[in-house]
Amino acid sequence: MNARIALCLTALLIAAPALAQQPPKGLLRIPEFAALADKASESVNVTLDSALLGMGCRFLDASDPEEASAKKLCNSLSGIYVRSYTFDSDFAYPKADVDGVRRQLSGPGWSRMVQAHSKRENTDVDVFMLLDNGKAMGLAIIASEPREFTIVNIVGTIDLEQLHELEGKFGVPALGIEASKKTEKVAPKKKS
Amino acid sequence: MSTDNFEDELRRALRPVGAPEGFADRLMRALPAREPRAALAIVPPASRPALRRFWMPAAMAASLIASVLLGQHVANQREAERVAREVEAGQKASRELMQALRVTSQKLDIAYQAVTNPPATELEENRS
């Protein structure tokens, strides 16, 4: 009996750090793409975890309308991760890595909001949202072009109303986001 | 008495006479003894023990004050450096945040354009 209790306690002790280090909901495992930065003609690598995001939020200028909107939005977020690389030649990036991130978005909770594909420009843009009890807990954008690819992962409670408020300020388009539509599941509309 | 007689009497009375024998010795003995030269020291002997008693604590107090002031200065300098580092990191983070939001909006814009104005033959879309 004592041996069983000791075994259970040992198992709990081993599992505790693993449980404590569980990543927040909506956080994707995005590769660092460190080798690509040298090959790319332009690159954007933003990694803002909860602490850095909080720090960045504090330093936003509330008198600037653009930054004031960002400040409102980022208070509820716990991470923003962006990898964007532009190359001088076609498909210089490892497509498998991008597909690896795409596969994570087929997991439970993630819904595809928009899937756009241009045959002429060979461009794919996918917008995913992680919904939990009707709340948007994460946003992911994967955009790939022959000479450019971008992965965006926003983690945290995304207030769709606030995202709506950003429309037109960063060039964010009017996506027709309405609070009442938050819980709707994505369904394919058409495919040509 | 006439004036001449008086003058003669006075001159006689005041004539120089030799000192009696042993007068000089008696006089010297009668004078008070000279104080020794060593007694004329610059530093009064009474003040020396006080200085000796207080210089060590005074030096220690001065060292303590100096080290407290130096410590305070170093702490202030470190605090200023920490604040400067924090401000720099915060400004960098806010720049990155704005850059991230711009990239996000740019990509959302592409998706939006594709969704709202799909060229008849080239765009495929799913939209909620």
Side-chain angles (χ1 to χ4, degrees):
Chain A
M1 187 67 180
N2 280 345
R4 275 186 194 170
I5 292 169
L7 200 67
C8 287
L9 283 173
T10 312
L12 275 172
L13 281 172
I14 291 167
L19 288 170
Q21 287 169 3
Q22 251 190 354
K25 272 184 183 175
L27 178 66
L28 298 173
R29 287 185 307 278
I30 304 175
E32 271 303 314
F33 300 112
L36 288 184
D38 297 332
K39 282 164 66 180
S41 54
E42 279 177 49
S43 66
V44 176
N45 188 334
V46 175
T47 300
L48 293 173
D49 59 12
S50 181
L52 278 174
L53 192 62
M55 200 183 266
C57 265
R58 279 208 308 275
F59 281 87
L60 288 175
D61 182 8
S63 62
D64 182 294
E66 199 175 271
E67 293 193 14
S69 299
K71 195 170 190 153
K72 249 200 232 172
L73 181 75
C74 73
N75 279 331
S76 60
L77 302 180
S78 55
I80 295 183
Y81 306 87
V82 174
R83 304 280 183 276
S84 183
Y85 298 92
T86 307
F87 303 94
D88 292 328
S89 57
D90 286 358
F91 297 108
Y93 57 88
K95 217 164 176 298
D97 283 347
V98 181
D99 290 338
V101 177
R102 226 183 269 273
R103 268 196 300 278
Q104 292 175 51
L105 297 162
S106 60
W110 285 101
S111 304
R112 181 180 275 142
M113 281 180 78
V114 178
Q115 180 184 28
H117 173 69
S118 164
K119 275 181 186 166
R120 194 180 62 189
E121 290 171 16
N122 205 358
T123 302
D124 286 292
V125 181
D126 296 305
V127 181
F128 297 86
M129 198 158 256
L130 179 73
L131 297 170
D132 186 30
N133 293 325
K135 265 187 171 180
M137 302 295 289
L139 179 81
I141 301 170
I142 298 183
S144 55
E145 295 170 40
R147 294 191 176 193
E148 185 185 335
F149 84 89
T150 302
I151 298 171
V152 175
N153 182 203
I154 298 178
V155 187
T157 314
I158 298 165
D159 188 340
L160 294 177
E161 292 292 338
Q162 281 179 0
L163 190 63
H164 184 77
E165 274 179 36
L166 275 179
E167 286 178 20
K169 283 181 178 149
F170 294 101
V172 175
L175 286 167
I177 296 163
E178 289 170 30
S180 58
K181 285 187 182 174
K182 274 186 217 174
T183 53
E184 281 180 14
K185 272 274 179 183
V186 177
K189 199 175 170 188
K190 67 173 184 178
K191 195 161 188 177
S192 57
Chain B
M1 190 187 283
S2 70
T3 315
D4 290 339
N5 285 341
F6 175 73
E7 282 180 356
D8 289 338
E9 279 293 313
L10 191 65
R11 207 170 284 129
R12 210 168 27 245
L14 294 176
R15 74 183 186 282
V17 289
E21 200 176 332
F23 175 77
D25 291 336
R26 284 198 304 275
L27 182 68
M28 289 307 288
R29 273 199 300 273
L31 285 174
R34 270 190 186 175
E35 285 192 17
R37 277 177 184 268
L40 297 170
I42 295 164
V43 180
S47 65
R48 281 196 147 183
L51 245 182
R52 212 174 291 148
R53 201 185 303 152
F54 293 120
W55 80 266
M56 183 68 92
M60 283 172 77
S63 308
L64 192 71
I65 290 167
S67 53
V68 165
L69 289 175
L70 189 72
Q72 204 169 14
H73 174 70
V74 169
N76 286 347
Q77 210 168 14
R78 279 189 186 165
E79 176 65 10
E81 279 171 14
R82 191 189 63 79
V83 169
R85 270 200 307 273
E86 202 175 300
V87 167
E88 199 181 334
Q91 283 172 343
K92 184 175 175 257
S94 67
R95 277 196 305 273
E96 285 189 346
L97 171 63
M98 296 305 287
Q99 193 182 22
L101 288 174
R102 282 196 185 97
V103 171
T104 305
S105 69
Q106 195 187 358
K107 296 305 160 192
L108 282 175
D109 195 39
I110 293 171
Y112 172 73
Q113 294 300 329
V115 168
T116 52
N117 308 310
T121 55
E122 67 179 50
L123 279 169
E124 300 168 8
E125 67 173 81
N126 284 344
R127 190 188 172 193
S128 61

